[in-house]
Amino acid sequence: MHRVKVRIVQDALDANATIAAANRADFDRAGVTVVNLMSAPGAGKTSVLERVLGELGDVRVGVLEGDVQGSLDADRLVSLHIPVVQLNTDGGFGGECHLDANMVRSALGDLPLAELDLLIVENVGNLVCPAEFRIGEDARVMVSSVAEGEDKPLKYPLMFRACELVLINKIDLLPYVDFDLDHYLHHLDTVHPGVERMVMSARTGEGLDGFRDWLVGLADRARDHVHA
Amino acid sequence: MHELSVSRAIVDTAVAHADGRRVTAVQVRLGRLRQVVPRSLAFYFELVARETVCDGARLDQELVPAALRCEDCGHTWEIDLPDFRCPRCASVNVTVATGEELEVTSIEVEEASACIV
């Protein structure tokens, strides 16, 4: 036996990128705009969706709920009377901590894509791994809450750089936590200068209009594009 | 935490190129901005490699520093902290020159030696 070196030079996540492109093609065919919603556990992804998705006008929206286990989040969205599909990642090694393109692909058959304009994929709560895996989405949005602390952009630059929009949630807690919004925004602009951001509280409803309009705008742009 | 998924992706890539041969080493380039912890990656790699042709293979990790380039003034610099503004002209029109690598560059495989007549 002898040893031979085989030159490869391939992105380790090539396989994921290929499947993400296949998802993208399916979304385009169905005319669906896809948002990958990411955050740390407990930042308020589901709460924001609960408050916003029922008021998107004529935009037909569906949700793909990613969780390690259970359907607690999906159950919360049932009252909105929109298609919600639960995707659990615990089939793998102790439960994957993120959704990848293949997991999303496996759930596409359960979603009525042809009847949707907008699909929200609520990723597993985690500030590192979801940022690595594209799923074929149009936009990546992250929810960051004031209860998490103002240093988070500096600690998780991968996530804060990966998203096109940052929702700063739970601002009703500002009087009770040591969180200086100006410091936070400075950190955010250090890591991802100028990234679009919205300040809100899913609990009080403050600032949610902006995100609602943003979602409607995103879906409308895609619909105009299809009709053009 | 994502080291498990990243090691799976690395092993899958190596297996795909090994063509059934036993893999003795895998060379990877890891950019600092990917937030991969080398010791964690080595740990998971060993675990994920079991029951594949990569079982027992060595993982050689080349760590690539994060370097940015200012598209306005041309300045290039390395960063330790995630500060994406140009220190020379304060522009935010900055691109990543290096540091986003997550590549399998080569593998070392065992081959049966040719018969010497």
Side-chain angles (χ1 to χ4, degrees):
Chain A
M1 295 293 258
H2 66 286
R3 289 177 179 180
V4 187
K5 197 160 185 167
V6 182
R7 203 175 132 76
I8 299 178
V9 192
Q10 181 179 323
D11 193 306
L13 300 181
D14 250 9
N16 188 71
T18 304
I19 301 169
N23 290 349
R24 181 71 258 155
D26 283 356
F27 296 144
D28 282 343
R29 244 191 316 278
V32 186
T33 302
V34 181
V35 171
N36 184 358
L37 187 65
M38 307 179 288
S39 83
K45 294 185 294 300
T46 312
S47 300
V48 169
L49 294 181
E50 273 180 303
R51 295 294 297 259
V52 163
L53 296 190
E55 296 167 29
L56 295 181
D58 64 346
V59 174
R60 300 166 301 170
V61 63
V63 177
L64 181 58
E65 236 345 298
D67 281 299
V68 174
Q69 248 187 359
S71 61
L72 291 171
D73 288 353
D75 297 344
R76 283 168 63 186
L77 297 174
V78 163
S79 62
L80 294 172
H81 304 293
I82 57 173
V84 178
V85 169
Q86 179 71 50
L87 178 55
N88 285 132
T89 65
D90 63 358
F93 184 94
E96 287 283 9
C97 52
H98 62 275
L99 296 179
D100 64 19
N102 198 39
M103 288 185 247
V104 170
R105 188 145 197 81
S106 73
L108 290 190
D110 298 327
L111 282 160
L113 285 187
E115 293 155 28
L116 296 180
D117 302 310
L118 177 66
L119 173 66
I120 310 284
V121 180
E122 186 179 335
N123 219 308
V124 180
N126 181 334
L127 275 187
V128 182
C129 314
E132 282 285 11
F133 297 88
R134 300 304 300 248
I135 54 172
E137 69 277 68
D138 293 270
R140 298 199 278 184
V141 176
M142 77 165 292
V143 184
S144 175
S145 76
V146 304
E148 292 164 61
E150 61 197 35
D151 56 353
K152 289 303 163 288
L154 299 178
K155 287 189 170 175
Y156 300 93
L158 192 66
M159 172 62 78
F160 280 87
R161 283 188 61 75
C163 55
E164 285 89 44
L165 171 64
V166 179
L167 307 179
I168 302 156
N169 191 26
K170 306 192 187 179
I171 54 161
D172 53 305
L173 294 182
L174 278 176
Y176 312 106
V177 291
D178 294 327
F179 182 96
D180 184 320
L181 188 58
D182 287 336
H183 283 168
Y184 174 89
L185 294 176
H186 175 73
H187 292 155
L188 183 61
D189 278 323
T190 300
V191 170
H192 195 165
V195 64
E196 196 172 356
R197 77 284 314 260
M198 294 178 185
V199 177
M200 62 179 54
S201 164
R203 188 162 162 272
T204 67
E206 186 182 350
L208 289 176
D209 286 357
F211 183 45
R212 194 177 298 135
D213 294 346
W214 189 91
L215 285 174
V216 172
L218 192 71
D220 279 348
R221 273 202 300 282
R223 289 194 289 191
D224 291 347
H225 183 69
V226 170
H227 296 147
Chain B
M1 201 162 168
H2 63 156
E3 285 77 6
L4 172 59
S5 313
V6 171
S7 15
R8 271 214 199 99
I10 291 171
V11 168
D12 287 348
T13 307
V15 168
H17 287 85
D19 223 1
R21 296 166 291 188
R22 199 172 91 78
V23 177
T24 52
V26 178
Q27 281 78 37
V28 295
R29 296 183 80 222
L30 301 171
R32 272 201 63 186
L33 294 171
R34 298 307 282 255
Q35 292 193 278
V36 172
V37 181
R39 279 181 58 182
S40 231
L41 189 69
F43 172 79
Y44 284 121
F45 175 81
E46 194 205 321
L47 211 66
V48 174
R50 289 177 196 170
E51 295 176 28
T52 76
V53 289
C54 295
D55 189 15
R58 193 179 73 239
L59 182 67
D60 299 330
Q61 307 184 36
E62 181 195 339
L63 304 179
V64 185
L68 304 181
R69 184 176 49 244
C70 176
E71 297 300 329
D72 286 339
C73 77
H75 183 51
T76 304
W77 72 103
E78 277 188 20
I79 54 168
D80 278 322
L81 293 167
D83 189 341
F84 288 78
R85 294 164 305 185
C86 177
R88 198 159 79 176
C89 73
S91 168
V92 295
N93 188 13
V94 160
T95 53
V96 176
T98 66
E100 286 185 331
E101 298 77 3
L102 188 57
E103 300 169 341
V104 179
T105 50
S106 59
I107 55 174
E108 198 180 88
V109 297
E110 273 185 352
E111 271 183 1
S113 303
C115 289
I116 298 164
V117 184

